[in-house]
Amino acid sequence: MTTTNGTKTWIITGASSGLGLALAEAALAAGEQVAGTARRADRFDALRAQYGDRLLPVEHDVRDTDAAAAVVRRALDAFGHVDVLVNNAGAGQVGAAEEVTDAQLRDMLEQHLFGPAAYVRAVLPHMRARRSGAIVQMSSQGGRMSFPAVGSYSAGKFALEGWSEALAGEVAPFGVRVLIAEPSRFRTAFNSADVLRTVDHHPVYDDVLGAVRANMAEADGIQEGDPARAASAIRDMLDTPDAPLRLPLGAEAVRNLTRAYRNALSDVEKWAHVSQTADFPGMPPALRAF
């Protein structure tokens, strides 16, 4: 992917830690410019000291959708253009469907759907006018498959992926690309006790979810995924003309998503004779615009 003045500019939400930080460091090390958001701007002090004005630290909570446009405007004022938007900010949550409150479920949707959507709406007029740009949606293997205890987290990521798949078709004619990254476990703070949210749990689910809760916590610090390598893979995809819409990241994501896709296809094929009986008899195949 090229930019008109030769220097790529990124907006990265949640850029002070995890995969967001890895992407910010990779961009800055390559001589590029980054507007990075975090809930506390002082978390960028070390990067700012190293890279100076090529890093624009912005204090912003992704759930404050009304302020997303102002963040984009600050990036444009500072750097003149935006080439890549990375919607990375978010957090995990562990809890059974019965345990998760409305407020906790909404919080997952606000972080993983409404926040990214607000940034996309704010940056798209600029990208359309330049007929160039890329939007990276940081989803998860949990955005295409789910399992007990992570339903509220997956709800946000499933929603982000469906919304982004439609978005990709809408913006492609304007030269704007969408990449949905689907990481497995990476060596970030995602699984740490002060980041991973655990809702109040009911003892009735202990036998069902106990092992999952323990496994999520125990993974902290031993995850097999390397954030720097993930950042490199994402950067490579942005320069690959035939890049896929979805990019699983990590061997576990490849294994799990392969199994999920095969199981889903097997079910469709196995029960197709039942599914097809729901149509009026003798109807011709539907004609659609997509």
Side-chain angles (χ1 to χ4, degrees):
M1 178 180 166
T2 58
T3 181
T4 52
N5 70 356
T7 302
K8 195 180 295 184
T9 298
W10 301 63
I11 295 176
I12 306 174
T13 68
S16 65
S17 63
L19 293 172
L21 175 58
L23 280 165
E25 289 176 329
L28 292 165
E32 297 162 356
Q33 301 161 153
V34 175
T37 78
R39 295 184 189 182
R40 294 198 338 265
D42 61 2
R43 298 184 68 181
F44 291 113
D45 287 352
L47 276 184
R48 181 75 169 175
Q50 184 174 1
Y51 293 105
D53 291 342
R54 286 198 288 112
L55 172 67
L56 173 66
V58 182
E59 194 162 290
H60 181 238
D61 186 326
V62 71
R63 294 170 295 187
D64 182 3
T65 56
D66 290 340
V71 176
V72 173
R73 174 46 54 193
R74 285 188 61 182
L76 289 172
D77 289 345
F79 301 126
H81 62 279
V82 173
D83 301 285
V84 187
L85 166 66
V86 181
N87 279 310
N88 170 74
Q93 183 164 270
V94 179
E98 188 178 350
E99 298 168 337
V100 174
T101 66
D102 281 351
Q104 290 165 334
L105 180 57
R106 287 193 184 98
D107 187 64
M108 289 291 100
L109 292 169
E110 287 169 359
Q111 292 191 64
H112 302 134
L113 175 63
F114 293 114
Y119 270 96
V120 168
R121 286 194 300 269
V123 81
L124 264 182
H126 171 72
M127 289 184 173
R128 282 193 291 100
R130 298 178 74 229
R131 302 194 72 82
S132 176
I135 297 166
V136 180
Q137 307 286 47
M138 296 303 299
S139 181
S140 165
Q141 63 178 346
R144 295 294 280 175
M145 51 168 281
S146 195
F147 53 89
V150 299
S152 59
Y153 174 76
S154 284
K157 295 301 190 182
F158 267 64
L160 175 67
E161 292 218 13
W163 188 84
S164 299
E165 186 170 340
L167 171 69
E170 295 162 1
V171 301
F174 303 101
V176 180
R177 300 174 57 187
V178 175
L179 176 68
I180 303 171
E182 299 172 327
S184 50
R185 287 177 169 174
F186 276 75
R187 195 77 58 85
T188 70
F190 182 91
N191 293 89
S192 64
D194 59 341
V195 174
L196 182 64
R197 302 174 183 188
T198 302
V199 307
D200 293 337
H201 61 273
H202 194 292
V204 73
Y205 286 104
D206 284 351
D207 289 344
V208 180
L209 305 184
V212 176
R213 292 191 183 107
N215 181 260
M216 295 284 282
E218 291 165 358
D220 186 36
I222 61 170
Q223 301 98 322
E224 60 269 38
D226 180 344
R229 289 175 179 268
S232 178
I234 290 170
R235 289 174 60 85
D236 287 346
M237 283 299 100
L238 295 182
D239 289 322
T240 301
D242 60 345
L245 172 63
R246 291 177 169 87
L247 180 68
L249 290 171
E252 182 189 59
V254 173
R255 291 193 304 269
N256 286 343
L257 293 177
T258 297
R259 183 179 67 252
Y261 286 134
R262 285 176 175 161
N263 289 344
L265 180 59
S266 177
D267 281 347
V268 170
E269 292 173 341
K270 178 178 179 179
W271 299 104
H273 66 286
V274 175
S275 303
Q276 292 163 355
T277 65
D279 286 347
F280 289 106
M283 291 293 292
L287 297 177
R288 291 180 176 265
F290 58 85

